[in-house]
Each structure stands twice: as structure tokens, then as C-alpha cells.
Amino acid sequence: MEQPMRRDARRNAERLATAAGQIFRERGLDAPLEEIAKAAGVSAGTLYNRFGGRDALIDAVMPDVVEAKVRAAMVRAEAEADPWDGFVLYVTLLCEMQATDLAMSDAVSRRYADAKRLNEICEAQMDGVRGLIAKAHAAGRLRADFTAEDLPYLLWTTSTVVRATASRAPEAWRRALTFTLDGLRPAAAHPLPAPPLTAEQVHAVMLDLGAKRSGQGR
Amino acid sequence: MEQPMRRDARRNAERLATAAGQIFRERGLDAPLEEIAKAAGVSAGTLYNRFGGRDALIDAVMPDVVEAKVRAAMVRAEAEADPWDGFVLYVTLLCEMQATDLAMSDAVSRRYADAKRLNEICEAQMDGVRGLIAKAHAAGRLRADFTAEDLPYLLWTTSTVVRATASRAPEAWRRALTFTLDGLRPAAAHPLPAPPLTAEQVHAVMLDLGAKRSGQGR
DNA sequence: CCTTAAGTTGACGACCACCTCAACTTACTT
DNA sequence: AAGTAAGTTGAGGTGGTCGTCAACTTAAGG
């Protein structure tokens, strides 16, 4: 039943995937699809035939890369003896990815409604994050009022700073991140003026970010 | 020599300025100019006649508002007895403006190459900021390695979070800001991994932000 | 009034990105 | 070698924004 794809079709699909990987990485997940088609040496129509639109293309190209990178970061973080060091390492590694790969930056800080696989992977990763945070809390090395739902903030903010400063001061984000991390130690804690977002709110905001630009709410 | 404007022309210019104020405030400084023209009840052509383009319109509409608001924030900040409280208040007030007025958010965190008046006002405000920071430093209430060039970070990051969460959790930015402020007390300080941006770098980055979207560098 | 310069209009061309589809080309089967 | 389904193409429709301009309208002075 799985009638095999024609050879040229498969070849083109692979070229498209490769091109998408490159261009997403360089320009983010909002890169023009026609640019990707051109880079793959096919017409835009073919891209829409093989995949079906941006989200499907993203979901075909990104999940493996994202999973591998994010999992590797988690492994390294969990290998740290000190839970705080583990937490810091994890956050720093994620930000490093954002700084060196715009596709990762978008994949981690936005949600594309129809990129199901990608969303599942990101969701799954949250479990690991909760563990990391729980350990740091248990060890009294992370302020008690910091929750897993606060992490997206860090990624959103780094995403901004990184894009703004990428060409002129590629390491600048580390400085901003350090300021914030310094505020996350228990000793630094002062009362917070607002509750954390709920998991649903985080998800909804990420969907907004993923859905085209402009529209600010409604 | 100052041949007075015809009455209808003046009337339209005023309507345009008013409409621009409203729409910039609701949608940010990137709002479609045709939307503004429509709101003013004139055609797009008239807008281009009276002003000359987006930057000129911005420079006609924003400086007074920005100056008043920003100056008021500085006055309140300087009235605080404790220099740290003054610093925190100033930053918080600026972020509040960003949260309630997208035009302020853009005006404060971006630069529009041809909006001369606006840029001068923002530049001038930096002096006050330096004073605020110097006082906090002198009182030992602000970590010594924080510089005036680090402030734009806070505005960039708040700008992002605010836009993302405005509709669903309008106070969420206060939480994120608190984390960072908690990292700016001297006691929280740990070594920074990167030097601050130079004033020129800050300016250049802001210009990039102001110049259309997309283009990542070069 | 009526002239005329100032002002306004709105259609228009340019650009960019999305997505589609009828016509064409190709790979695979027999 | 030919038939045919699968695949590809690229022009073209859509939608949105920018900026322009020839033709029209209007304010204001004589």
C-alpha cells in the first residue's frame, strides 16, 4: 500500500528539507517559502505539493533537530553535580542555541499551531525542565517562587536581545542573561508583584507569537 | 514669509496628527499609514503631502508626548529618598508606559533614522539616567558593573514580553522585571561574562530595530 | 463672482509573500 | 515503446503596504 514515491519526488523532497533547514537556521521560521524553494532548485509549487504549507514544512524539518539538541542540553544539565549549576547550564545552552540558530530560537519560543510533532517534543521537554527546577528548589539553590512557567520569559527575552544584537555583539545576550540569573538565586529573592502565567497562558501566548506578526490580541 | 496654511490644510494636518497619536498608541509605530489616513478622514495622499513619510509623521507626533512622560518619570524617580528605589521606580515607570502604549514602547526602544527631534529627546534623557545610576552606584545600592548601556536591554526585553502577554496577562511583565531587578542589587552580583555594549553599539542596534523588520545584520 | 494657487483625491504601479492550477514533463510499468 | 499516473512548473490571483501623480476641488484675495 505504501506506494513508493517517485525518485524525482523523493529527491526534491530531500532537497527541500535540506534547504529549509539551512534557511530556517539563517533567517528564522518566518523565512519566505519561495526562498527555500529556490535554494532547493525547485519551484514554489513543488514545495506546496510535497509539504502543504509552512507549519507542515516546519514539522517535517525541525522536530529531529530540536529534540536532539534539547535532549543533549538536558543530559549535560543533569550531569552537573550542583542542581543550580545544572539549571544555569540548561538555560545557557538553550540561549546559546537561540543565539546561533534562529530556527531553534523560533522553535523553542513560539508554537506553530499545525506543527504537531514539534509541539509534542517541546511539551515533553517541559517534564525534564520541571525536574531540573524541582531539584534546584529542593537543594535550596533556586528561589522558591520561580516556576517552570517562568522559563519561557527567559527564552522570549533572549530571543529578542539575540536578534537585535546578533550582528554587532554576538555575546551580548550572556550579559543580560547573567543579570536575570543573578536574580534567581534564593538570596536575591524579593516579593514578586504578579503570579506566574498558567501553563495554558504560556501555551496561548506562544501560539500568538507563532501566528503571523502584527495582530496584538483582540 | 511664513505664509499661513490654508484652513482645510491645517485642519487635516491636525486630524492626521490626532489619528496618528491614537493609532500609533494602539498598534505601535509600524501601523499602516493608510489606516491613519482613514481614521483622520482623509486620503493617504494627503498624509504624504502634509508629512512626508512615517519617520516625519512620528517626529511630528511623538516627541512632545515622549518628552512629557519620560520627564515626569524622571522627576518622580529623583524624588525618591533612596537611589535604588529611584532607579527601580524609573525603570518600572518606563516599562509601564511600554505596557500601556505601544507607541511609547517603540519610541523608547527603537530609533527611527529620520525622526530627529525624537532621537534628540531620547538622547537627552540618557543624561538623567546616567545621573540616576551614578547616585545608586554611589550609595552602594546598585551592582557596580551595571552601566547605563545595560538599560536598553531591560526595555527591549520588556517590550517583547509586554507585546506577547498584553491581551492575556497584562501584568505579567512585572514579574519578569522583578526577577531581573533582583539581579541588579549589589548582593546578587556575580561576574559578568561580557562587557556592556558601547553607546554606539546601542544606537546602532536601535536603528536596526527601527528600520523595517527582517534584515538580520550585514 | 471669478481666478488661481493650494490642497485633496483615489486610482495606480511597485513590491513582497502567499497559495493555486492548468498545462506540461517525467518516471515507472508492462 | 507507449501509456499513464505522478510530479513539476511558473504564471497568475489574492492581499497588504508603500509611495506617486494627474485630475479634480476648494479656500481666499481681488
Side-chain angles (χ1 to χ4, degrees):
Chain A
M1 40 187 47
E2 240 313 318
Q3 194 58 12
M5 242 179 191
R6 244 171 62 172
R7 230 170 251 155
D8 55 344
R10 170 151 299 291
R11 184 173 50 77
N12 285 337
E14 275 159 16
R15 283 184 185 173
L16 277 168
T18 304
Q22 278 179 13
I23 294 197
F24 280 157
R25 170 183 281 258
E26 291 161 10
R27 301 189 105 83
L29 296 183
D30 289 332
L33 295 187
E34 308 197 309
E35 189 116 358
I36 293 172
K38 199 173 62 178
V42 301
S43 83
T46 298
L47 189 158
Y48 286 96
N49 280 347
R50 288 292 127 242
F51 307 87
R54 161 159 278 123
D55 284 17
L57 179 58
I58 290 173
D59 215 32
V61 167
M62 296 298 300
D64 292 346
V65 190
V66 171
E67 177 158 45
K69 288 203 179 186
V70 160
R71 195 189 290 279
M74 184 58 77
V75 167
R76 285 185 59 186
E78 283 172 340
E80 288 289 315
D82 182 296
W84 167 259
D85 291 343
F87 174 76
V88 169
L89 180 59
Y90 181 75
V91 173
T92 304
L93 288 175
L94 278 192
C95 291
E96 238 165 44
M97 290 174 207
Q98 291 190 296
T100 56
D101 182 342
L102 289 186
M104 285 297 296
S105 180
D106 287 340
V108 162
S109 60
R110 304 175 172 189
R111 290 294 171 271
Y112 298 83
D114 297 339
K116 221 179 131 231
R117 279 216 303 150
L118 180 56
N119 289 347
E120 278 164 14
I121 283 167
C122 290
E123 217 52 55
Q125 189 63 15
M126 279 301 284
D127 292 341
V129 169
R130 281 179 212 286
L132 218 51
I133 289 175
K135 278 202 295 182
H137 275 155
R141 305 278 277 124
L142 173 65
R143 61 189 290 169
D145 51 9
F146 184 88
T147 80
E149 280 70 35
D150 287 316
L151 192 56
Y153 279 131
L154 297 192
L155 303 182
W156 290 333
T157 59
T158 306
S159 157
T160 309
V161 177
V162 151
R163 276 169 200 255
T165 58
S167 57
R168 304 191 143 80
E171 299 294 301
W173 61 268
R174 294 185 191 274
R175 187 173 168 94
L177 177 60
T178 300
F179 286 139
T180 298
L181 287 176
D182 281 350
L184 297 187
R185 292 192 181 77
H190 284 66
L192 292 171
L197 298 185
T198 65
E200 291 72 36
Q201 284 176 315
V202 170
H203 190 253
V205 169
M206 283 183 161
L207 271 178
D208 283 357
L209 286 173
K212 295 279 161 269
R213 49 181 76 309
S214 71
Q216 71 278 9
R218 152 176 290 261
Chain B
M1 39 183 51
E2 239 317 314
Q3 193 58 14
M5 243 178 191
R6 245 171 61 172
R7 231 170 250 156
D8 55 344
R10 169 150 300 290
R11 185 175 49 79
N12 285 336
E14 274 158 17
R15 283 185 185 173
L16 278 167
T18 303
Q22 277 179 14
I23 293 197
F24 280 158
R25 169 184 282 260
E26 291 161 10
R27 303 192 78 104
L29 297 183
D30 288 332
L33 295 186
E34 307 199 312
E35 189 116 358
I36 293 172
K38 197 172 63 179
V42 301
S43 83
T46 298
L47 190 157
Y48 286 97
N49 280 346
R50 288 291 126 242
F51 305 87
R54 163 159 276 122
D55 283 17
L57 179 58
I58 291 174
D59 215 31
V61 166
M62 295 300 298
D64 291 348
V65 190
V66 171
E67 177 157 44
K69 289 202 177 185
V70 160
R71 197 189 291 278
M74 183 58 77
V75 167
R76 285 184 59 187
E78 283 171 340
E80 287 289 316
D82 181 298
W84 167 259
D85 291 343
F87 173 76
V88 169
L89 180 60
Y90 181 75
V91 173
T92 305
L93 287 175
L94 279 192
C95 291
E96 240 165 41
M97 291 175 206
Q98 292 189 296
T100 57
D101 183 341
L102 289 186
M104 285 297 295
S105 180
D106 287 341
V108 161
S109 60
R110 305 175 172 191
R111 290 295 172 271
Y112 298 83
D114 297 340
K116 222 179 129 231
R117 279 216 302 148
L118 180 56
N119 289 346
E120 277 164 13
I121 284 167
C122 290
E123 216 52 54
Q125 189 63 13
M126 278 301 285
D127 293 342
V129 170
R130 279 178 213 287
L132 219 50
I133 288 175
K135 278 203 295 184
H137 275 155
R141 305 278 278 121
L142 173 64
R143 61 190 290 171
D145 50 9
F146 183 89
T147 79
E149 281 69 34
D150 288 315
L151 193 56
Y153 278 131
L154 297 193
L155 303 181
W156 291 332
T157 60
T158 306
S159 157
T160 310
V161 176
V162 152
R163 276 169 202 255
T165 59
S167 58
R168 302 192 145 79
E171 300 293 301
W173 61 270
R174 293 185 192 275
R175 187 173 167 92
L177 177 60
T178 300
F179 285 139
T180 299
L181 287 176
D182 281 350
L184 297 187
R185 292 192 180 80
H190 283 66
L192 292 172
L197 298 185
T198 65
E200 291 73 36
Q201 284 175 316
V202 171
H203 190 254
V205 169
M206 283 182 158
L207 271 180
D208 283 357
L209 286 173
K212 296 277 161 270
R213 49 183 73 313
S214 72
Q216 71 280 7
R218 160 171 286 263

